[in-house]
Amino acid sequence: MAPHADLRTLDPVVASIVITRMHGLMIYESLFAWDSSLNARPQMAGRHEVSPDGLTHTIGLRDGLRFHDGQPVTSRDVIASLNRWMQRDTVGGKLREYVASLDAVDDRTIALRLNKPASAFVPFALGSAVGMIPIIMRESDARTDAARPVTETIGSGPFRFNRGEWRSGARIVYDRNPDYVPRDEPADGLAGGRQVRVDRVEWLVMPDPATAAAALQTGEIDIWEQPALDLLPTISRNRDIRVERFSGIQNQALLRPNHLYPPFNDPRARMALALATDQDDAMAAGYGDERWWRRCGSFYVCGSANGTEVGSEAYARPNLERARQLLAESGYRGERLVLPTTQEIAPIGRMAEAAAANLRRAGFNVDLQYADWGTVATRQSNRGPVSEGGWNLFVTTASGATMQSPITNIGTNSACERAWVGWPCDAEVERLRTAVVDAPDDAARRAATDALHRRVAETQPYRVLGQFDQPYARRANISAVLNAPVMLFWNVEKN
């Protein structure tokens, strides 16, 4: 498979980037997992009981769980892993607000006690497939400082990471785990039985789209995870190639400002950012033909169950005059604004260039700085000023599964130092996110989501650049690729 990026960070609890999450799902598991409809189902959990008052969740591990080093998975591993994850992730941070205690009942059972009922939220959170994922590591690894990446790669999942054959910038190798015992149910998204039907998976890093297209057509690779859209007509003419979607929800492109430093610590500058950028320009630059993308004013993904656009009407089209006025009111005087980006992931680089051109017309002094994607992603975590290697803006994309929920959306989490990179801080947004979790029924949840969206449209934690479909391409002898937020390799057959 030719992946969309090289693998640089091995710890999916430290990095939320997709390539690291894909790696994590190869070698680790979580207590629950989302199916193709984003419903949580037991995965490592063999038993899940909720007390009558809704405050205690007792979760027992399923049989046959062993780490790749042969040691059994225990409650100690689960507790240490979840405690570390809850310090890092948007969903985990919200769950942490509800947790009164997390204790071992015995070696294979944990008790999660809440300070108020949130019965549906617990399995949903513990099965999250977005952001930093709640994978279970060995206790010794999970006790690593939450801000420092774990470098060991010993999980309990269906594949083993072949460190000896890993070549940074060239090849990542996974071998089937012969000791893995899958669940009995059919695979459905991330849920169900993770049956591995190939002996080995190789990710061959091919940043040049023409090289990847040629490799797919000759059979050197079986799958191209994110084919360049302008090459789809060429590869689609090959009768041995199929082009398909593996997710039912469109993805979101976004422009993220750094809320820690001027000018974007002022909401007026963030409003100016939104009024200066044109979704048409960004989407056309990144994804070309309009059949692959659409405009959208919802932070929670148009077409999803939470896809309200209430409050965002003023930002539907650019307004440069108003953007310049707000920018001046914010105190911005033309200081250099650093926007790190990459040409390794072509749509991200092209959207960054389009956004920079829009912003310059409104008076922003944007400095585009190019690097490989691993360097850009690492830089995003730098909380320092630009003079110390920090940043002001970046463009990225996120899966629809990540952004469609007020709970999982990494960009609207406004919990200050516990927020995603960019670190927005707004107590009212956080109060309204909690109200969504606490809503007693669907009608109340929709009303809470509308109220939240109005507030988020005022604070502008990031600029939505639009929505897009990202197909994948496979050889015709590859089958049974699952519908999921990211590409998965269990269940896949090669005939």
Side-chain angles (χ1 to χ4, degrees):
M1 187 272 289
H4 71 278
D6 187 22
L7 176 67
R8 298 291 183 87
T9 304
L10 300 174
D11 184 353
V13 180
V14 165
S16 64
I17 55 176
V18 172
I19 196 71
T20 297
R21 195 181 323 145
M22 290 170 60
H23 161 77
L25 291 168
M26 294 289 279
I27 65 173
Y28 297 105
E29 289 192 286
S30 51
L31 292 178
F32 293 83
W34 291 354
D35 63 20
S36 57
S37 300
L38 307 183
N39 297 312
R41 290 164 47 183
Q43 187 57 38
M44 296 178 81
R47 177 172 60 90
H48 176 214
E49 299 169 355
V50 183
S51 62
D53 62 5
L55 294 178
T56 301
H57 291 249
T58 304
I59 302 169
L61 295 171
R62 78 171 197 261
D63 294 335
L65 292 173
R66 289 188 174 275
F67 289 110
H68 300 157
D69 63 1
Q71 297 301 308
V73 180
T74 71
S75 302
R76 295 187 305 279
D77 303 306
V78 173
I79 291 169
S81 296
L82 294 183
N83 280 330
R84 184 170 184 263
W85 166 72
M86 285 190 289
Q87 296 178 58
R88 293 287 307 177
D89 180 60
T90 291
V91 182
K94 181 55 65 177
L95 179 62
R96 191 182 187 186
E97 296 174 12
Y98 287 76
V99 173
S101 63
L102 176 58
D103 302 298
V105 176
D106 56 41
D107 279 351
R108 300 182 65 242
T109 309
I110 65 165
L112 177 65
R113 296 179 177 86
L114 308 179
N115 50 43
K116 57 181 174 179
S119 293
F121 179 49
V122 169
F124 178 81
L126 296 179
S128 175
V130 300
M132 290 85 159
I133 51 178
I135 48 92
I136 305 304
M137 298 179 168
R138 297 176 302 183
E139 180 185 19
S140 57
D141 297 329
R143 290 199 178 280
T144 301
D145 186 294
R148 185 162 60 87
V150 170
T151 56
E152 294 294 329
T153 51
I154 304 298
S156 63
F159 291 94
R160 294 176 175 175
F161 181 61
N162 189 327
R163 187 179 287 267
E165 296 195 44
W166 178 31
R167 300 290 181 270
S168 181
R171 183 176 64 185
I172 305 104
V173 178
Y174 302 90
D175 297 315
R176 182 178 65 86
N177 177 9
D179 301 321
Y180 180 74
V181 180
R183 298 185 67 90
D184 291 335
E185 309 99 80
D188 180 7
L190 288 156
R194 298 182 176 182
Q195 297 278 357
V196 177
R197 307 185 192 280
V198 295
D199 292 323
R200 179 181 174 97
V201 176
E202 295 182 0
W203 296 356
L204 304 181
V205 181
M206 297 181 178
D208 176 46
T211 301
L216 183 68
Q217 292 184 90
T218 61
E220 179 186 347
I221 60 173
D222 301 297
I223 297 173
W224 187 5
E225 183 209 357
Q226 293 189 11
L229 297 182
D230 58 349
L231 291 177
L232 289 183
T234 300
I235 62 175
S236 297
R237 286 195 291 269
N238 187 323
R239 59 186 174 185
D240 292 326
I241 293 174
R242 305 287 184 269
V243 176
E244 298 173 338
R245 294 175 173 87
F246 61 83
S247 178
I249 303 177
Q250 283 193 313
N251 302 306
Q252 188 180 85
L254 60 110
L255 176 61
R256 180 68 155 186
N258 189 333
H259 294 235
L260 297 181
Y261 300 100
F264 299 117
N265 59 345
D266 189 311
R268 291 169 295 188
R270 300 195 299 272
M271 293 176 190
L273 187 77
L275 289 167
T277 46
D278 190 332
Q279 290 190 342
D280 285 350
D281 290 348
M283 290 290 95
Y287 299 99
D289 192 323
E290 198 167 351
R291 66 178 172 148
W292 295 109
W293 58 268
R294 63 174 290 186
R295 301 178 62 86
C296 173
S298 178
F299 287 90
Y300 302 124
V301 184
C302 293
S304 79
N306 301 304
T308 178
E309 297 181 86
V310 64
S312 66
E313 297 84 358
Y315 306 101
R317 295 288 177 181
N319 184 335
L320 292 182
E321 181 180 353
R322 179 61 175 153
R324 294 185 186 109
Q325 178 186 350
L326 287 166
L327 193 57
E329 291 174 4
S330 75
Y332 178 68
R333 296 296 181 265
E335 295 85 355
R336 182 174 66 107
L337 303 175
V338 171
L339 196 167
T341 192
T342 187
Q343 293 175 327
E344 282 189 349
I345 305 176
I348 287 178
R350 292 195 297 258
M351 286 189 293
E353 291 165 357
N358 283 167
L359 294 173
R360 287 168 183 149
R361 285 196 289 270
F364 292 89
N365 177 16
V366 180
D367 178 13
L368 278 172
Q369 297 186 359
Y370 293 93
D372 62 83
W373 180 238
T375 299
V376 172
T378 300
R379 187 174 185 178
Q380 290 167 6
S381 298
N382 187 333
R383 294 173 62 97
V386 167
S387 60
E388 297 176 10
W391 54 277
N392 299 109
L393 296 157
F394 68 83
V395 169
T396 192
T397 62
S399 71
T402 299
M403 308 309 269
Q404 57 84 34
S405 166
I407 307 308
T408 61
N409 185 299
I410 54 177
T412 58
N413 173 1
S414 298
C416 309
E417 69 278 358
R418 291 191 293 108
W420 181 52
V421 295
W423 306 283
C425 189
D426 190 86
E428 180 64 5
V429 167
E430 288 306 289
R431 185 189 71 78
L432 292 168
R433 287 179 68 231
T434 298
V436 173
V437 177
D438 292 343
D441 53 44
D442 288 344
R445 193 170 297 109
R446 283 193 294 272
T449 300
D450 281 350
L452 169 63
H453 199 272
R454 286 191 189 92
R455 178 60 181 172
V456 169
E458 293 172 357
T459 63
Q460 287 291 319
Y462 65 90
R463 169 58 167 161
V464 178
L465 294 178
Q467 292 180 195
F468 64 96
D469 286 307
Q470 176 60 64
Y472 75 98
R474 63 173 173 85
R475 299 283 298 180
N477 64 329
I478 298 295
S479 61
V481 177
L482 293 164
N483 182 331
V486 297
M487 180 159 282
L488 308 174
F489 293 90
W490 60 83
N491 202 59
V492 175
E493 297 187 47
K494 180 177 180 178
N495 299 314

